Amino acid sequence: MSPDDGATGGVSVSSEVREPARPGRGPGAVTIRPRLAFWLGWGSAAAIMVIFVVIAVVLRNSATGVFFRFADQVAMVLLGLFIAAGLALFARPRVRADERGIEVRNVALPRYLPWSEVQRISFPDGASWARLDLPDYEYLPVLAIQAVDRRHAVDAIRAIRALHAAAHRAPD
């Protein structure tokens, strides 16, 4: 009996946690980002920052009857920074996919799904973005493929569907 057997009852335990390989790196891999949302997200964030900095500078020197101090100016710039950061989040959506699976990053954290968990990639009529249909009538929105991107969205959905179909044809 080895020293490892006593603590685990004969089962070897590895301290290494395995995460799925990052998709989008294998053959035929695709990376998709929205076009219009990217420009609108960063453009509006930049505009908000400019507006809040100008307001912070102008308020101290204007005769409004209110006394603005340096701390108020800093607070205005920080407020603008927080709003701009929130708007910039809308430029984050991304999809990475390859023959193993798909990684969807909407506004916050990415979510990896192997193709075996994805039943279908759909773009319902009237929808603003695509979605992955999952078991038990669940779905995951894919904000990286948006209807306002027109031809880019069509090409993206075709590429993702081709990878999905190839994964379901391949023997396990």
Side-chain angles (χ1 to χ4, degrees):
M1 185 183 251
S2 71
D4 293 335
D5 291 342
T8 60
V11 177
S12 65
V13 176
S14 172
S15 62
E16 180 181 325
V17 176
R18 293 192 178 258
E19 293 184 21
R22 295 187 89 174
R25 307 214 192 279
V30 295
T31 299
I32 301 163
R33 288 186 170 89
R35 289 188 176 165
L36 186 61
F38 177 83
W39 290 110
L40 286 176
W42 284 113
S44 60
I48 288 293
M49 277 308 301
V50 168
I51 290 169
F52 273 77
V53 167
V54 167
I55 289 172
V57 170
V58 170
L59 280 180
R60 177 113 187 222
N61 299 327
S62 65
T64 60
V66 179
F67 296 105
F68 285 96
R69 296 194 166 93
F70 180 72
D72 299 320
Q73 290 176 302
V74 171
M76 286 297 288
V77 171
L78 288 176
L79 180 62
L81 183 66
F82 285 129
I83 294 171
L87 290 170
L89 286 176
F90 291 102
R92 279 200 71 187
R94 180 191 68 207
V95 168
R96 286 185 178 161
D98 60 16
E99 73 279 350
R100 292 181 307 252
I102 185 169
E103 179 187 70
V104 177
R105 181 178 74 189
N106 287 327
V107 174
L109 300 174
R111 182 170 173 193
Y112 173 79
L113 296 167
W115 286 123
S116 60
E117 292 183 24
V118 178
Q119 292 180 339
R120 173 176 56 252
I121 296 99
S122 63
F123 211 124
D125 288 339
S128 296
W129 47 76
R131 69 183 194 187
L132 302 177
D133 292 333
L134 307 173
D136 297 327
Y137 301 103
E138 292 183 18
Y139 66 90
L140 176 66
V142 181
L143 300 181
I145 304 174
Q146 297 188 4
V148 295
D149 288 336
R150 301 180 190 262
R151 188 71 198 166
H152 179 68
V154 171
D155 294 340
I157 201 84
R158 285 182 179 157
I160 298 295
R161 284 179 176 166
L163 285 170
H164 181 258
H168 282 280
R169 278 193 304 261
D172 290 324

